[in-house]
Amino acid sequence: MGVMTEKASPQLITTEFDRWWNSSGIWVEPANKRRGGESGVQFLQQRDLMRPPLYCKRQIGHTYRTFLHPFGRPTILRELQAYRAFARLGIKTPNVVYCTARQKHGAWQALLVTEALQGFVSLEQWYAVENSAALTKAALIQLATTLARLHLAGWQHGCCYPKHIFVKSQVNEGGTVTVEIALLDLEKSRRRLRIKDAARRDLGQLGRHRGNMPETDLLFLHQAYQQALNNPAGVLQP
């Protein structure tokens, strides 16, 4: 994984890049123009049906600029950094299958291929069906803990919408319920110096775009989040 250019691109990597670049699938996010380029996501079903399907994010000229990259750098590479950082924090994200970028004819092309999250539903889908109050409470506590861990480590999701937060619940032997939270679409994730800035951004976005989430659940999430912040030693344990 990394950056490659036309001048120093091993043929094997180029061939693999082209194979993913030319793959065909269902557009779940049609290519749209933004950030001076294009970005879209395709759903790819693998030949081996026992393996999870894939999502392929494909971008052309879709860049961001910083002091270190004044001429622009593919946003997919920033997203890859966030995936790696979140994994080190013990936060569940989709498995990355392939990710790299190249310059062709003076324009950036970038790919991010990830496995679909098996057994998870988005928070948006979660609130589209009826769940028990106890199960919803457990999911919100786990979400609060996940966001607190993220913010305590100096990270902000940056696009904290219900469609980017995924929930998986399981009933174990004995009837106990475990809930797992996964985060995706980390394209706008970034480091923040202050926890309150990250919290304001992420919790504010979630509140504005909560959809079917009742206000009482949002208030409970805020309370659980604050409790998690008050116990940083426990929260930072993956």
Side-chain angles (χ1 to χ4, degrees):
M1 298 178 187
V3 181
M4 58 184 179
T5 64
E6 286 184 309
K7 291 183 179 179
S9 299
Q11 187 60 38
L12 179 61
I13 297 179
T14 302
T15 300
E16 185 177 8
F17 187 100
D18 289 335
R19 180 170 64 85
W20 287 113
W21 188 261
N22 296 319
S23 60
S24 59
I26 301 171
W27 287 98
V28 294
E29 184 182 311
N32 57 86
K33 295 185 180 296
R34 53 182 175 169
R35 288 185 176 270
E38 295 182 5
S39 179
V41 180
Q42 281 186 315
F43 177 82
L44 307 177
Q45 183 66 62
Q46 300 204 68
R47 292 181 180 178
D48 183 354
L49 297 181
M50 299 299 293
R51 301 177 65 183
L54 306 172
Y55 288 96
C56 178
K57 180 181 286 189
R58 184 161 47 223
Q59 296 180 343
I60 301 175
H62 195 274
T63 61
Y64 70 100
R65 288 174 171 79
T66 66
F67 178 78
L68 294 176
H69 304 284
F71 300 107
R73 185 171 186 259
T75 57
I76 271 179
L77 298 182
R78 179 171 64 178
E79 187 167 8
L80 177 62
Q81 290 178 329
Y83 270 100
R84 289 171 171 169
F86 285 27
R88 289 193 294 269
L89 294 173
I91 295 174
K92 175 73 175 178
T93 58
N95 292 327
V96 176
V97 175
Y98 184 76
C99 182
T100 194
R102 71 181 181 186
Q103 281 187 302
K104 187 172 184 180
H105 305 309
W108 281 106
Q109 295 178 335
L111 287 167
L112 172 63
V113 183
T114 56
E115 291 183 349
L117 291 165
Q118 301 287 76
F120 284 80
V121 297
S122 70
L123 193 63
E124 194 173 54
Q125 295 169 308
W126 176 274
Y127 276 104
V129 298
E130 186 174 350
N131 292 291
S132 70
L135 188 56
T136 296
K137 182 178 179 180
L140 292 174
I141 291 173
Q142 191 60 38
L143 173 57
T145 303
T146 299
L147 292 177
R149 178 180 298 168
L150 189 68
H151 297 160
L152 284 165
W155 278 91
Q156 167 187 290
H157 185 286
C159 202
C160 199
Y161 299 166
K163 65 180 180 180
H164 299 149
I165 298 169
F166 277 65
V167 184
K168 180 180 181 180
S169 59
Q170 290 181 305
V171 180
N172 303 321
E173 292 183 10
T176 58
V177 177
T178 59
V179 176
E180 190 174 5
I181 296 292
L183 303 177
L184 67 156
D185 203 341
L186 311 184
E187 188 176 292
K188 295 182 180 179
S189 298
R190 54 175 292 193
R191 302 303 302 267
R192 296 304 294 257
L193 293 175
R194 301 190 302 177
I195 295 172
K196 66 178 183 180
D197 291 335
R200 184 184 301 113
R201 174 72 173 183
D202 286 344
L203 293 176
Q205 281 184 329
L206 183 55
R208 290 190 300 273
H209 300 277
R210 69 181 188 272
N212 293 326
M213 177 191 286
E215 187 173 357
T216 52
D217 283 8
L218 182 64
L219 291 174
F220 179 82
L221 175 66
H222 279 256
Q223 293 169 357
Y225 174 82
Q226 194 58 52
Q227 290 176 359
L229 287 185
N230 293 336
N231 182 29
V235 170
L236 288 174
Q237 292 296 322

